[in-house]
Amino acid sequence: ALVYTEKRNFEKALSIFHEQLWTDKNKEMQKDPQVQLNALNLLWRLDTRGKQEVTKPLWAQVIDGCAGTTLPGADGAKAPCQHSDLLLDILLLRGFCAMAGGNGNTGPLQTWLEQIRANAKAMAAGSGEGAAARAEAYESCANCVADLFDPSIKEAEVPLKHDAAKKRLRELQPRWGALGGSEEQRSILLEAIEGPLVAGSPEANYDTLFR
């Protein structure tokens, strides 16, 4: 699906999303954190390429499917796999940003960002080697993503917020590995800075790229 997305074959990428990645035929599969991560990863890349109208309801579907596994359930209790995957936490934050852009409700976005910050604080207090540095990279990446995609930021503040967030995210690039996941999965962060990528590099001359 990612290859089709890079080639801007969105129909094929979305077909894979619906038929293989996030299918109603297998609700149990949707409880797998790696499935959730891959679904959100694909939606992020589609949004980067201007498909927000198509992805708007899909973000909500995946976020709803995460409840009770990697997000708190209806009772608000911590989910069994909540914060078990730091890259997934960042992707969920991006999902809440997208949903807020559609319905204007930034409450869930702010709540999740605060939960990430609380988790980072708990991580930093751990005794493991590098715990504090890993926690700082995780929280800083989350703050950058919020500054880049939170739709409630005042229009006059957007240019400065975006420039600062992209600069900080680029500074953090050597430490993105602290989030876990593969380099390819983490490249969504590079897309947040550079825009669409093709084979790991910024897309250029798209009209002739795949001839």
Side-chain angles (χ1 to χ4, degrees), residues 18-33:
H18 289 296
E19 296 174 12
Q20 300 178 33
L21 189 54
W22 201 260
T23 171
D24 289 337
K25 296 176 184 177
N26 192 344
K27 290 288 188 181
E28 194 60 32
M29 184 178 74
Q30 296 176 2
K31 297 299 180 184
D32 184 336

Side-chain angles (χ1 to χ4, degrees), residues 6 10 13 17 20 25 27 30 32-33 36 63-64 92 95 98 100 116 130 139 150 155 162 171 207:
E6 286 189 354
F10 301 128
F17 178 89
Q20 300 178 33
K25 296 176 184 177
K27 290 288 188 181
Q30 296 176 2
D32 184 336
Q36 297 171 5
I63 292 291
D64 286 347
L92 288 165
I116 286 177
E139 182 176 359
D150 180 354
E155 187 175 353
H162 283 194
E171 290 171 350
D207 291 340

Side-chain angles (χ1 to χ4, degrees), residues 112-134:
W112 184 241
L113 184 56
E114 286 305 314
Q115 290 177 336
I116 286 177
R117 289 168 176 164
N119 186 50
K121 184 176 181 180
M123 288 171 56
S127 58
E129 183 179 354
R134 186 172 185 236

Side-chain angles (χ1 to χ4, degrees), residues 50-117:
K51 305 305 290 184
Q52 291 90 341
E53 288 304 312
V54 177
T55 62
K56 192 180 299 182
L58 304 182
W59 284 109
Q61 287 178 25
V62 179
I63 292 291
D64 286 347
C66 294
T69 304
T70 53
L71 286 173
D75 60 359
K78 185 176 179 179
C81 297
Q82 188 170 323
H83 303 311
S84 63
D85 187 315
L86 303 185
L87 181 59
L88 178 56
D89 279 2
I90 302 297
L91 284 154
L92 288 165
L93 180 65
R94 176 69 180 90
F96 282 121
C97 289
M99 290 175 63
N103 60 27
N105 180 11
T106 60
L109 160 60
Q110 296 303 326
T111 297
W112 184 241
L113 184 56
E114 286 305 314
Q115 290 177 336
I116 286 177
R117 289 168 176 164

